[in-house]
Amino acid sequence: MIDATALAEKPVLTGARIRLVPLAIRHAAAFHAACQDPETRRLTGTHHDFTLAELQAWCAGSADRADRLDLAIEDRESGDFLGELALSQIDPPNAHGSFRIALVPDATGRGIGSEAIRLLLDHAFDRVGLHRVQLEVYDYNPRARRAYEKCGFEVEGRMREALFWDGAWHDVLVMAVLRPGRAGGAG
């Protein structure tokens, strides 16, 4: 069974190079800057043009959301904002949740995403008690797909032409990791 109170608690999860901390208002400006980056928008399929005010409100309310976990990824030494991730859409009877991650452009290609994913999966499986975590990734993002696979995610399906981006239709891959078969983590 899952422990729903674990979502209300907003942990600090520390890795070798990064720290996952509760998303807060202090992250809003850097979060907003990342959301303006065209490549970040493409990789996340973000059509909405978030304003700074929208992200300030989202970050400020993050600590009060007891049904999901939104964390900022920070450099462990400098405290710089490297991105954010979320565990959401929790289905308690089926011990299932959804995951997403977005890194700032300078944080990609260095293993930061994989480290953040492993930290969050450890928390999702060991503390929250989830059995399954799923995500969606676009067919034009093989780097993210490889990172997810390194963390134990497997492709389960394909939603054909589910994203319209830059004048073309793209497939969305559904990937998931199960607690029993997890690679690259503690479980």
Side-chain angles (χ1 to χ4, degrees), residues 28 96 132 176:
H96 168 255
R132 180 178 189 278

Side-chain angles (χ1 to χ4, degrees), residues 131-152:
H131 175 74
R132 180 178 189 278
V133 175
Q134 83 171 35
L135 60 82
E136 295 177 358
V137 62
Y138 303 111
D139 60 3
Y140 55 72
N141 194 350
R143 185 178 65 206
R145 181 176 167 182
R146 283 190 304 274
Y148 299 142
E149 288 171 341
K150 282 184 0 186
C151 294

Side-chain angles (χ1 to χ4, degrees), residues 3-26:
D3 181 354
T5 64
L7 296 170
E9 299 167 3
K10 306 303 179 189
V12 173
L13 308 173
T14 303
R17 297 176 297 157
I18 62 167
R19 179 177 52 240
L20 305 182
V21 301
L23 190 64
I25 189 75
R26 67 186 172 93

